[in-house]
Amino acid sequence: MAGLIRSAAQRTLFSSYSATSKALINRLHCQSRNAISTFPFQSSPYSTDTITKSPFEANILRILRNEIEYQIEYAPPHQPATKFNSYTVEDQPGKQLMIMKAKYGEIEDIEIKVSMVDAVEVVPKPGDDSTGENVRHHISLLVCISKENYSDAIECWCSAWPDSLVIHKLYVRTNDNKRPSLYKGPHFGSVCEKLQKAFRRYLEARGVNDELCVFLHEYMINKDRIEHITWLGKIKSLVEK
């Protein structure tokens, strides 16, 4: 079932390669071409590198330009998704964060703050004869469920693995001070099994489920590519100044 969910999510995600996706790649290409327009030691009298840059700096710029071009050509990013099922998706450029928002029913608001990949887990490769290892990436998310005319909200700290969701903590947040109440409750795995199952269904009804995990991992892989290329461009710009 997880494989079917993963495949469906991948088809949905990669179908978003559209005019906006091409525009993103073209913009990154333009930035790269502008960076490459003047190579080190070019004979042109207007070459900034030739006039003002030391051989060491010019070499750094050449490496940065080549790396930007390689990253764009090898694994071109696409325009980040802005919607997933009932959720709007708000990227936070330059930050290791993305925010999703949705309404549930008449008075309920859901906000999910999602980190980029923040940990890895090494697991054995499947198969009796396999001796290698696989790496599973971990994403943290904080789910906040609030209701109109109520000052308190439910917050849930979860782990999103590539094909499954794990709930760690469930507590009450007081909106007056935007901080969790003093008592944060027990670890979710230690509460009675009936409550665990019931709250998982509660989250699943709101779209916080294994399918969301698949989407988040695909989204963050793409975001990492965009942020990496942008970071390279910023370093290049600072060296050029």
Side-chain angles (χ1 to χ4, degrees):
M1 178 62 69
L4 292 175
I5 293 175
R6 186 185 301 107
S7 298
Q10 287 173 341
R11 287 195 298 270
T12 301
L13 183 65
F14 288 106
S15 65
S16 64
Y17 274 76
S18 61
T20 53
S21 303
K22 293 178 181 178
L24 173 66
I25 296 173
N26 289 337
R27 175 167 60 80
L28 293 172
H29 267 297
C30 288
Q31 291 173 349
S32 179
R33 282 196 295 269
N34 290 337
I36 297 172
S37 60
T38 306
F39 280 98
F41 312 116
Q42 196 171 358
S43 60
S44 168
Y46 302 103
S47 171
T48 303
D49 289 342
T50 304
I51 297 172
T52 64
K53 299 300 177 188
S54 68
F56 180 72
E57 290 175 316
N59 185 54
I60 291 176
L61 289 172
R62 178 182 59 80
I63 294 171
L64 285 167
R65 291 164 183 162
N66 289 343
E67 181 64 16
I68 291 170
E69 279 290 296
Y70 172 77
Q71 291 295 332
I72 292 174
E73 294 293 338
Y74 173 72
H78 57 83
Q79 193 73 20
T82 58
K83 190 171 178 61
F84 175 73
N85 292 342
S86 61
Y87 285 87
T88 59
V89 180
E90 301 174 3
D91 189 30
Q92 308 292 308
K95 297 181 181 180
Q96 299 185 60
L97 179 70
M98 175 265 275
I99 298 175
M100 303 177 70
K101 295 180 180 180
K103 293 282 293 185
Y104 185 80
E106 295 293 328
I107 63 170
E108 194 169 285
D109 292 300
I110 307 171
E111 181 181 79
I112 307 175
K113 294 182 178 179
V114 187
S115 74
M116 294 178 69
V117 173
D118 54 12
V120 296
E121 178 186 55
V122 178
V123 296
K125 284 186 176 180
D128 297 335
D129 299 329
S130 177
T131 58
E133 295 177 330
N134 284 335
V135 173
R136 292 192 343 137
H137 293 124
H138 172 272
I139 291 173
S140 296
L141 58 151
L142 184 66
V143 182
C144 178
I145 302 172
S146 60
K147 295 184 178 181
E148 293 179 11
N149 303 320
Y150 286 87
S151 60
D152 294 345
I154 294 174
E155 282 197 338
C156 185
W157 172 45
C158 306
S159 288
W161 295 101
D163 56 2
S164 62
L165 181 80
V166 178
I167 304 170
H168 295 294
K169 295 287 287 187
L170 176 65
Y171 50 87
V172 175
R173 188 190 75 182
T174 301
N175 283 333
D176 292 339
N177 56 18
K178 298 295 183 182
R179 286 199 248 166
S181 56
L182 184 61
Y183 178 67
K184 297 183 180 180
H187 190 278
F188 188 75
S190 67
V191 302
C192 72
E193 189 173 345
K194 287 184 178 180
L195 178 58
Q196 290 184 45
K197 290 181 178 179
F199 195 76
R200 286 195 188 97
R201 289 195 293 269
Y202 179 85
L203 290 180
E204 287 172 358
R206 288 153 179 79
V208 183
N209 51 27
D210 293 350
E211 183 185 3
L212 174 65
C213 293
V214 176
F215 168 77
L216 292 178
H217 278 264
E218 296 289 353
Y219 184 97
M220 288 305 179
I221 288 172
N222 183 66
K223 179 174 173 62
D224 183 72
R225 292 169 183 162
I226 294 173
E227 297 294 349
H228 182 60
I229 294 170
T230 302
W231 174 80
L232 288 169
K234 289 179 178 178
I235 297 296
K236 179 186 70 62
S237 296
L238 288 171
V239 174
E240 285 176 332
K241 291 186 182 297

